[in-house]
């Protein structure tokens, strides 16, 4: 990873946090909601933050590409000749945001030569920021406190008494029963934001996060997977292949991943991936 200087890191943290706090303040007043696809919602607050973040990162990194969720024209930059791309999700977990729940986030990820190398995940309701990257580490800051290295505690190995897996409600509805047959004692749970789900695993509260429904896009995954890799987690497909961020593994129009996604601690991936593959095959 091309080094992010402490001053640049501070500026990025400030930009992301300010947008997150702004979202929380704006949520106190009525806001517009539009369904842009099946079970896929966007608010006028998403659009406002999207523009602000796009301008801020374009100004901070004028030589880099900037892709944001709500600016469909920016997706072309994935195919332009940029060595670095900033992938921005102004509100990850929009449904939680709409319903006044806690688990939404502002997310920024850095993609270099089709590899996620750094990420920032800010949860406004907690005033908590996770950030870091490869050859850098994973850090946490709460409020105005100085950042500290994140305390990463690997969970106990999976067993019939302890096997916490993070799974979204769509995947649990489709695959949950089949997975439970293959993995007795599995304990499913979920929260809103993709990025905050990944952090549940990074922080050791779960051993694995699985995502099979094919809706996540570059702005959802770049930052969180950079942090997961920096923490020593494995990021692979159901077939055990590394998650790819190159054009051959990304939908050309939506920038959605075409691979299934597993993010987990090595012992969870080693023991559970084959069983998950069997469970998924029974439902497909």
């Amino acid at each position: 990873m091309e080094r992010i200087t402490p001053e640049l890191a501070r500026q990025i943290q400030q930009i992301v946090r300010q947008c997150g706090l702004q979202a929380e303040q704006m949520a106190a007043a009525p806001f517009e909601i539009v369904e842009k696809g099946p079970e896929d919602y966007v608010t006028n607050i998403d659009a406002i933050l999207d523009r602000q973040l796009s301008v801020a990162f374009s100004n901070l990194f004028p030589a880099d590409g900037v892709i944001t969720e709500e600016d469909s024209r920016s997706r072309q930059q994935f195919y332009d000749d940029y060595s670095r791309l900033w992938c921005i999700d102004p509100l990850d977990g929009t449904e939680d945001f709409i319903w006044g729940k806690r688990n939404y986030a502002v997310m920024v990820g850095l993609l270099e030569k089709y590899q996620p190398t750094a990420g920032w995940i800010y949860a406004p309701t907690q005033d908590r920021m996770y950030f870091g990257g490869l050859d850098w580490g994973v850090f946490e800051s709460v409020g105005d406190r100085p950042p500290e290295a994140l305390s990463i505690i690997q969970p106990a190995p999976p067993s019939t008494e302890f096997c916490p897996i993070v799974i979204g409600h769509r995947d649990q509805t489709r695959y949950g029963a089949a997975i439970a047959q293959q993995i007795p004692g599995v304990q499913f749970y979920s929260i809103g934001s993709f990025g905050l789900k990944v952090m549940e695993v990074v922080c050791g509260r779960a051993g694995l996060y699985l995502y099979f429904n094919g809706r996540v896009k570059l702005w959802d995954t770049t930052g969180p997977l950079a942090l997961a890799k920096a923490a020593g987690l494995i990021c692979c497909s159901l077939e055990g292949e590394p998650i790819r961020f190159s054009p051959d593994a990304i939908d050309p129009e939506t920038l959605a991943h075409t691979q299934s996604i597993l993010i987990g601690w090595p012992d969870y991936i080693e023991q559970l991936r084959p069983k998950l593959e069997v469970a998924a095959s029974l439902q497909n």
Side-chain angles (χ1 to χ4, degrees):
M1 181 183 79
E2 184 177 329
R3 186 168 178 265
I4 300 293
T5 66
E7 175 57 22
L8 282 174
R10 186 195 65 78
Q11 290 183 58
I12 294 170
Q13 287 173 247
Q14 184 178 45
I15 290 167
V16 173
R17 184 180 181 225
Q18 285 177 345
C19 282
L21 293 176
Q22 183 180 351
E24 190 174 32
Q25 293 168 357
M26 294 175 74
F31 53 86
E32 300 172 11
I33 305 170
V34 175
E35 188 172 11
K36 58 182 180 179
E39 297 185 86
D40 188 9
Y41 300 93
V42 65
T43 72
N44 63 310
I45 298 174
D46 292 74
I48 291 168
L49 299 182
D50 193 275
R51 288 192 294 271
Q52 290 181 190
L53 288 161
S54 178
V55 169
F57 276 83
S58 295
N59 289 338
L60 196 58
F61 302 100
D64 298 348
V66 177
I67 299 174
T68 65
E69 178 175 12
E70 307 308 333
D71 182 2
S72 59
R73 294 171 301 177
S74 70
R75 297 173 192 174
Q76 176 58 40
Q77 297 188 41
F78 181 63
Y79 300 99
D80 293 339
D81 191 24
Y82 289 104
S83 61
R84 304 203 319 176
L85 282 169
W86 296 91
C87 302
I88 296 172
D89 190 340
L91 278 180
D92 181 47
T94 299
E95 289 185 44
D96 266 43
F97 177 78
I98 289 170
W99 293 106
K101 298 180 181 179
R102 293 178 52 82
N103 293 306
Y104 63 92
V106 179
M107 302 200 308
V108 174
L110 177 59
L111 197 64
E112 297 185 85
K113 298 178 181 178
Y114 301 127
Q115 292 296 319
T117 57
W120 289 258
I121 301 173
Y122 176 67
T125 62
Q126 306 172 38
D127 200 6
R128 185 183 305 272
M129 175 91 68
Y130 301 105
F131 68 97
L134 304 181
D135 302 321
W136 184 12
V138 183
F139 302 86
E140 176 184 38
S141 63
V142 179
D144 294 316
R145 299 178 201 165
E148 297 181 352
L150 181 66
S151 178
I152 297 173
I153 301 174
Q154 184 169 345
S159 67
T160 54
E161 289 77 33
F162 182 81
C163 189
I165 290 180
V166 179
I167 184 172
H169 75 271
R170 295 180 184 90
D171 282 330
Q172 185 170 353
T173 298
R174 182 172 181 182
Y175 300 104
I179 292 171
Q181 287 184 335
Q182 296 295 319
I183 308 174
V186 65
Q187 298 145 352
F188 293 130
Y189 76 100
S190 186
I191 59 177
S193 157
F194 180 95
L196 294 179
K197 288 185 180 84
V198 173
M199 293 311 301
E200 288 294 293
V201 184
V202 171
C203 293
R205 292 185 284 270
L208 177 71
Y209 172 33
L210 62 87
Y211 188 93
F212 294 166
N213 72 59
R215 292 162 58 104
V216 289
K217 304 171 179 71
L218 290 178
W219 44 82
D220 297 303
T221 56
T222 301
L225 266 67
L227 297 183
K229 289 185 174 186
L233 272 61
I234 293 175
C235 304
C236 68
S237 70
L238 190 58
E239 297 76 26
E241 298 295 325
I243 300 300
R244 303 194 308 279
F245 287 75
S246 49
D248 63 309
I250 301 295
D251 182 273
E253 293 186 9
T254 65
L255 301 190
H257 288 266
T258 59
Q259 294 175 286
S260 55
I261 297 175
L262 298 177
I263 302 166
W265 291 95
D267 51 358
Y268 278 76
I269 295 291
E270 181 180 352
Q271 294 185 43
L272 302 185
R273 187 194 61 76
K275 298 177 181 180
L276 292 168
E277 191 171 12
V278 170
S281 70
L282 296 174
Q283 300 303 116
N284 291 332

